[in-house]
Amino acid sequence: MKIAFGCDHAGIEIKEKLIDFIKSLGHDVLDFGTNSSQSCDYPDFALKVAQSVVSKAADKGILICGTGIGMSIAANKVKGIRAAVCWNKETAQLISQHNNANIMCAGARFASVDDICSWIKIFLETEFEQRHLKRIDKIKNIEQQY
Ligand code: RB5
């Protein structure tokens, strides 16, 4: 798959390890930055990754900030994006199985790089369960109405 990656300064220290790990799983990575430890604004990177996913340039996205929360809030403003924060292996699985998340978000200040790698692998390798489709369609309806 093609995986869009973005982080802010909170994720810069683990960025290369995460990208190398994603590549080691056999995926191509589209790197949308950031590229330095200088303070920056997470919505800028969330937008680039989200656009890459909705345009189908990427199949899925990974966004890392301090908590994962700011990235998810920003990415979810883009139509067609289901960005979800995960914080353990179970939630990494459920955001794919139940929510059909197309972007995984995680918090670099609250998890180890090894943990986040394991969540990324689970997120990328877990299939959506079709029995949840009705709920995903209802999310799309909300998006169209408001
Ligand atoms: C940056 O200090 C921090 O606010 C950001 O990385 C993120 O955690 C926001 O949700």
Side-chain angles (χ1 to χ4, degrees), residues 48-68:
K48 286 177 188 168
V49 167
Q51 282 176 326
S52 162
V53 171
V54 291
S55 72
K56 297 195 187 326
D59 300 291
K60 287 184 173 180
I62 305 289
L63 285 168
I64 307 293
C65 63
T67 59

Side-chain angles (χ1 to χ4, degrees), residues 64-133:
I64 307 293
C65 63
T67 59
I69 295 170
M71 284 292 197
S72 68
I73 292 171
N76 278 317
K77 298 296 178 191
V78 176
K79 265 190 186 164
I81 289 300
R82 291 175 302 282
V85 183
C86 64
W87 58 91
N88 57 25
K89 289 182 179 175
E90 290 79 7
T91 51
Q93 183 176 328
L94 288 168
I95 64 170
S96 282
Q97 269 178 351
H98 288 204
N99 310 118
N100 202 13
N102 45 18
I103 296 181
M104 181 195 117
C105 305
R109 292 181 178 151
F110 296 91
S112 70
V113 64
D114 289 343
D115 279 345
I116 296 177
C117 284
S118 71
W119 305 343
I120 288 173
K121 179 172 162 59
I122 292 167
F123 165 65
L124 295 180
E125 294 179 359
T126 301
E127 298 278 318
F128 174 57
E129 289 178 351
Q130 289 297 319
R131 66 192 172 96
H132 294 282
L133 188 61

